[in-house]
Amino acid sequence: MITDILIGILIFAKIFCLCSASFFIFRKQGNSFAESAAYAIITIFMLLSFIHQISFITGYSIISNGVEIFFLVGSIFLIFRHRTQIFNLVNTLKKFGTENPISFSFLGVSLVYMAIHGLLPVPKEFQNDLYTIALYEKGGFSSLAADANFPGFFPVNHLILFNTFLRSGSNAGAGIFCFLAYLSIGFSTYALARRYSWQTTSFTTAILVMSMPRLVVQAIYPNTQIISVAVTLFCILAVYRCVELPNLTDLILLILGLFFSISENISSMIFGPILLVLSWVILFRRHGTLTWKSILVKNPYALFAIVPAAIFSQSWLFLSNHFNKSDWPGIFSAISFNPDGIQGALANSIRYLFEGLNFAAPMELFFDKIFKWSMAENLQSLYDVSVIPFLGKSGAIQVFHLTWHPLGMFSFGPVGFFLVIPALVYAMAKGTRRLKSIAISFFVYFYLISLILAWAPGNEKFFEIFYVCSGFSIAFFFPPWRFTKTKQKIFQAAGCLLLFLTLLAAL
């Protein structure tokens, strides 16, 4: 086990070097600290995924090994070249920490703990997913595509990242990808919040989003869901940067990000088209077609992005399933659909709101120990009295039962219900046209999930994109003239407390 952890640490060091070099590149281009960090993590995810997918398609693992070594050497060179900036970055963090000393220190300690946890061997719950990618790697694309007994491929954009650790013969450290995705979400939230508030308010917003119980658990237990969320938020950040200053880099990253968001998680397949339409509306309404056409014409080497875009689209996998697997049921085969139309959508919406109001395991344990009071039981009683007589089981495949379990941590806590939803409503009423469009897109996603999918236990996973990716709107919701330093500290303390309780309950 110690050997496996040491291997995991070495691989993490390699990924850290790649991300650091990417960070310096984006900083040199004028991106802010938070933007550079968020971009660096996701672009390295895309780079590693592209390399491994090319290796999987061709069947030559030496390709991924050789290319990774090439980029690692280049990263070390770049880090050495920009070594003088490291001290400036440390000073920036120190300056930021002095303005928020307690919450900044607490968040730092929590992140260190989560990073260490990410280096541990993968728990059994994720073994099946790792077995899938290990099977893909061992069997090879051509052989599996022609194998009549093989059921079919699922999107591998995010899952194949874990092959970075698996090919070393150990899965220890694979959780680092989830931890880095968690960091990317925090940086992206802060960067987007800065569009609508000052530094301290943006930092408060980032802490509140990062304290959502389900997100915290996703960050310390390996999965691909949090990676999908991080990529989606990356795309929203890229949209903002494209609108503010049209340029080729952000446009290419946005296009690649939209394709890279495709994964085995159904939520990304549903929100992806919404995000595509949203990007199109915002970019072309603000700058028109000629601006983007001019940028692409002046930079013909942008055509090289077609190759990774085609790989990330997963069209090669879907086409292989279509031509070689006549009975392939499709990616939605394991999903139960809502049989009751709009009435079922209304019932499902109410159920999801009740689940959103539930404070999840850490808060439930706290109230039960201190006050002998259960949020889940009281919400269940309210639902039984107010909803069942009118809507019954419409839209559900089984009886709705609101509960919690320490391993699931399914709720998004008080932040999701009491801050994110009101913030989106407020953005629709008072926000700029850009923010209104984004808020509308998230509510459209909420409605589509309620309309298309039948309610079932565990469906809360579809709402990570809704609650987390729209969390930056909280910064617009906090009124700057009434959100005093005292209130900021109170909200920061509340977020840190929820983060602590979640980590404690997840042990």
Side-chain angles (χ1 to χ4, degrees), residues 145-465:
D147 188 353
N149 296 321
F150 182 70
F153 296 103
F154 281 88
V156 295
N157 274 336
H158 305 160
L159 189 59
I160 206 169
L161 286 171
F162 296 96
N163 193 48
T164 306
F165 290 86
L166 292 178
R167 68 184 182 188
S168 66
S170 170
N171 59 33
I176 286 298
F177 283 115
C178 302
F179 171 71
L180 290 175
Y182 180 75
L183 286 182
S184 177
I185 289 171
F187 285 122
S188 295
T189 299
Y190 177 85
L192 290 167
R194 283 290 284 126
R195 268 72 179 175
Y196 302 102
S197 62
W198 299 107
Q199 287 184 350
T200 306
T201 304
S202 300
F203 180 60
T204 304
T205 301
I207 287 180
L208 291 171
V209 172
M210 296 173 74
S211 70
M212 292 183 183
R214 183 173 179 85
L215 185 63
V216 174
V217 174
Q218 294 274 328
I220 61 177
Y221 290 109
N223 63 94
T224 57
Q225 185 72 34
I226 193 173
I227 299 176
S228 300
V229 175
V231 174
T232 300
L233 197 53
F234 163 87
C235 291
I236 295 175
L237 178 59
V239 169
Y240 268 82
R241 285 189 52 82
C242 283
V243 171
E244 294 162 353
L245 183 62
N247 64 92
L248 180 65
T249 300
D250 290 304
L251 179 61
I252 294 298
L253 289 178
L254 172 60
I255 295 173
L256 292 180
L258 287 171
F259 285 113
F260 188 61
S261 66
I262 299 173
S263 72
E264 75 279 8
N265 301 304
I266 304 301
S267 55
S268 65
M269 302 292 286
I270 296 177
F271 191 74
I274 298 175
L275 186 57
L276 175 63
V277 174
L278 173 68
S279 303
W280 180 278
V281 170
I282 292 178
L283 296 184
F284 287 91
R285 184 174 61 183
R286 180 68 176 84
H287 296 290
T289 306
L290 292 179
T291 299
W292 305 110
K293 183 178 180 180
S294 175
I295 290 175
L296 293 174
V297 169
K298 291 180 180 178
N299 301 278
Y301 53 85
L303 292 174
F304 287 111
I306 293 177
V307 177
I311 296 296
F312 292 151
S313 71
Q314 305 295 279
S315 57
W316 51 284
L317 285 180
F318 294 135
L319 288 174
S320 172
N321 292 335
H322 175 72
F323 289 112
N324 299 313
K325 313 293 178 184
S326 57
D327 58 344
W328 185 62
I331 193 170
F332 291 94
S333 59
I335 298 297
S336 298
F337 294 96
N338 169 27
D340 301 311
I342 296 178
Q343 181 176 335
L346 174 61
N348 288 336
S349 298
I350 296 174
R351 294 184 184 104
Y352 293 130
L353 289 176
F354 269 85
E355 287 184 335
L357 180 57
N358 186 26
F359 284 171
M363 297 297 289
E364 181 79 7
L365 290 171
F366 176 78
F367 282 116
D368 182 59
K369 294 291 184 181
I370 303 301
F371 303 105
K372 303 299 179 183
W373 181 79
S374 172
M375 168 67 78
E377 291 180 3
N378 283 274
L379 286 176
Q380 183 68 50
S381 298
L382 178 60
Y383 175 85
D384 293 340
V385 172
S386 60
V387 179
I388 289 183
F390 301 98
L391 296 174
K393 290 180 59 179
S394 296
I397 60 175
Q398 58 181 279
V399 176
F400 176 75
H401 182 62
L402 186 64
T403 185
W404 62 268
H405 49 93
L407 294 178
M409 303 289 181
F410 58 75
S411 172
F412 297 94
V415 175
F417 188 86
F418 290 107
L419 289 178
V420 172
I421 293 179
L424 287 176
V425 174
Y426 183 73
M428 290 180 63
K430 301 291 185 179
T432 61
R433 290 196 303 176
R434 191 182 312 159
L435 189 57
K436 285 181 178 178
S437 300
I438 291 174
I440 291 173
S441 68
F442 280 111
F443 280 120
V444 168
Y445 172 76
F446 188 103
Y447 174 73
L448 288 178
I449 292 293
S450 303
L451 177 66
I452 297 174
L453 308 180
W455 181 89
N459 273 18
E460 61 278 350
K461 64 185 178 183
F462 299 123
F463 289 89
E464 283 192 43
I465 286 178

Side-chain angles (χ1 to χ4, degrees), residues 54-75:
I54 290 295
S55 178
F56 174 52
I57 294 172
T58 59
Y60 296 105
S61 60
I62 193 174
I63 293 178
S64 60
N65 294 327
V67 175
E68 282 188 22
I69 292 175
F70 171 79
F71 278 105
L72 177 60
V73 173
S75 298

Side-chain angles (χ1 to χ4, degrees), residues 473-496:
S473 61
I474 297 174
F476 181 76
F477 184 57
F478 286 148
W481 58 91
R482 291 198 301 269
F483 197 56
T484 62
K485 291 184 177 180
T486 302
K487 293 180 179 179
Q488 290 172 354
K489 292 180 179 179
I490 292 174
F491 275 92
Q492 289 179 11
C496 290

